[in-house]
Amino acid sequence: MATLQFDRHRRLRQSANLRAMVRETRLHVDDLIYPIFVVEEKGVKREIPSMPGIYQFSLDRLNEEMDEVVQLGIKSVIVFGVPAEKDEVGSQAYCEHGIVQQAIRQIKANYPDIVVIADTCLCEYTSHGHCGVVENEQVLNDPSLELLVKTAVSQAQAGADIIAPSNMMDGFVAAIRQGLDEAGFTNVPIMSYAIKYASAFYGPFRDAADSAPQFGDRKTYQMDPANRLEAFREAESDVREGADFLMVKPALAYMDIIRDIKNHFHLPLVAYNVSGEYSMVKAAAQNGWINEKEIVMEMLTGMKRAGADLIMTYFAKDAARWLNE
């Protein structure tokens, strides 16, 4: 043993304080973006069955949720709307008095310091559940851009601080940037869902937003989960078209993509810890199979270590509570 040569890595792990001193990745409340679902009803705080702890709120009860968000120190929310009526062209998505526009105005009036992000898509508002204009069961790219621009401008007019297009139409960043600029919103940034895979992890969200496609699937516009190089092409075009943030969605099964994008692009990077990832952890925790707090904090820290600057997550309130302990 006297001549055995090896490194003593454990020297830096001897106590909690020493481990904290040399910790390379830190999760902070400022990193978290909390998704909120708003509905056009009265007196509603309705739990989403497949997402325990996540609720739909009517506007008259939205402040209950926002009070808690602010108290926990979370600085940013993303708003998803569930309209009472849908049609073929998603007209409630760009209606001046649409549910999301009303929610944005209410949040900005009551919580002016909160950064409000508007999800810019059509699937929650169309009767067919797809993210664009449909003809003969085909999602048409360019006609969809016109509606997405109208949606983004109406959200900016309502007071949204950031526009977050999630529809995966080609040219959506260029079209929305031009539309925002022409409407006088040159200072409103675009958080592009640049790399959005056609994933089975979105299932519970479709319950929350009532946005399941009524025919087919979204594989003609969202990315093939098997593709890595395609992520670079999507990110490159969005950067060229004027994106201010890039997003990878989902997160857990795509950590390699998060690292790839972080290494090659210099915009703030967002990881979306999606509904299916949330629900799996919640279900296992409710059955006593895992330690929820430790699993969640390890998972979110892993996303930051992979390269995410910000994390959009349904665990935001839980994580903020644990970080503040």
Side-chain angles (χ1 to χ4, degrees):
M1 288 294 292
T3 59
L4 191 60
Q5 298 292 318
F6 57 90
D7 296 325
R8 297 279 182 184
H9 300 292
R10 293 180 57 193
R11 287 182 186 129
L12 298 182
R13 303 172 192 154
Q14 297 305 304
S15 69
N17 284 343
L18 184 53
R19 292 192 293 274
M21 287 175 65
V22 299
R23 188 160 295 141
E24 299 172 23
T25 304
R26 295 177 190 275
L27 183 67
H28 192 276
V29 176
D30 291 352
D31 304 329
L32 306 173
I33 301 170
Y34 184 55
I36 290 179
F37 298 93
V38 289
V39 298
E40 289 185 304
E41 298 172 59
K42 298 271 187 198
V44 171
K45 179 183 178 182
R46 181 187 301 126
E47 189 171 33
I48 298 155
S50 55
M51 300 178 70
I54 302 297
Y55 297 82
Q56 295 175 330
F57 287 92
S58 54
L59 294 180
D60 58 333
R61 298 196 64 178
L62 178 59
N63 285 8
E64 297 173 28
E65 182 78 330
M66 288 304 305
D67 285 346
E68 190 175 357
V69 165
V70 170
Q71 185 180 23
L72 289 168
I74 296 169
K75 294 184 170 56
S76 179
V77 296
I78 181 165
V79 184
F80 297 92
V82 185
E85 296 182 3
K86 305 185 181 205
D87 58 31
E88 286 289 308
V89 291
S91 56
Q92 287 300 305
Y94 40 87
C95 174
E96 180 183 356
H97 302 295
I99 183 62
V100 157
Q101 287 80 1
Q102 292 185 64
I104 293 168
R105 289 191 186 94
Q106 180 173 320
I107 294 171
K108 292 305 294 184
N110 292 285
Y111 311 90
D113 294 333
I114 287 284
V115 176
V116 177
I117 303 169
D119 178 76
T120 305
C121 196
L122 299 176
C123 61
E124 301 109 291
Y125 305 92
T126 53
S127 51
H128 44 71
H130 280 282
C131 305
V133 175
V134 169
E135 190 173 293
N136 298 324
E137 297 200 351
Q138 298 294 316
V139 179
L140 305 180
N141 194 88
D142 295 10
S144 300
L145 296 181
E146 297 177 21
L147 302 185
L148 292 166
V149 170
K150 291 172 65 174
T151 302
V153 170
S154 73
Q155 293 168 336
Q157 288 170 336
D161 297 293
I162 298 173
I163 298 300
S166 58
N167 50 86
M168 289 298 283
M169 296 298 113
D170 289 336
F172 67 107
V173 173
I176 289 173
R177 184 70 274 159
Q178 183 181 51
L180 290 173
D181 291 350
E182 288 177 354
F185 297 106
T186 54
N187 289 327
V188 174
I190 295 175
M191 178 183 287
S192 173
Y193 287 58
I195 300 124
K196 182 177 181 180
Y197 286 92
S199 170
F201 285 99
Y202 304 149
F205 175 91
R206 292 169 185 169
D207 292 340
D210 187 25
S211 62
Q214 298 303 300
F215 64 88
D217 52 42
R218 297 184 174 130
K219 293 179 180 176
T220 64
Y221 45 105
Q222 296 178 357
M223 288 173 52
D224 184 337
N227 289 354
R228 175 169 172 256
L229 297 179
E230 188 180 13
F232 292 99
R233 297 198 295 273
E234 289 283 356
E236 284 168 355
S237 60
D238 283 11
V239 170
R240 192 169 57 246
E241 292 173 16
D244 299 281
F245 300 79
L246 296 175
M247 186 188 299
V248 175
K249 179 184 180 182
L252 277 181
Y254 301 89
M255 293 286 203
D256 56 330
I257 305 300
I258 293 173
R259 174 45 59 187
D260 279 344
I261 297 302
K262 183 67 175 177
N263 286 346
H264 287 83
F265 299 93
H266 303 295
L267 295 182
L269 180 60
V270 184
Y272 197 152
N273 176 210
V274 300
S275 58
E277 299 166 350
Y278 172 87
S279 297
M280 288 191 300
V281 173
K282 280 289 182 184
Q286 288 184 342
N287 279 288
W289 298 335
I290 59 171
N291 181 314
E292 181 181 3
K293 174 182 174 181
E294 292 187 5
I295 288 279
V296 170
M297 300 307 279
E298 182 176 338
M299 187 172 66
L300 299 180
T301 300
M303 293 171 197
K304 284 213 70 179
R305 192 186 63 248
D309 299 295
L310 299 165
I311 303 171
M312 194 174 288
T313 176
Y314 303 95
F315 286 114
K317 290 198 305 181
D318 292 326
R321 198 172 292 114
W322 293 325
L323 287 166
N324 291 329
E325 286 178 348

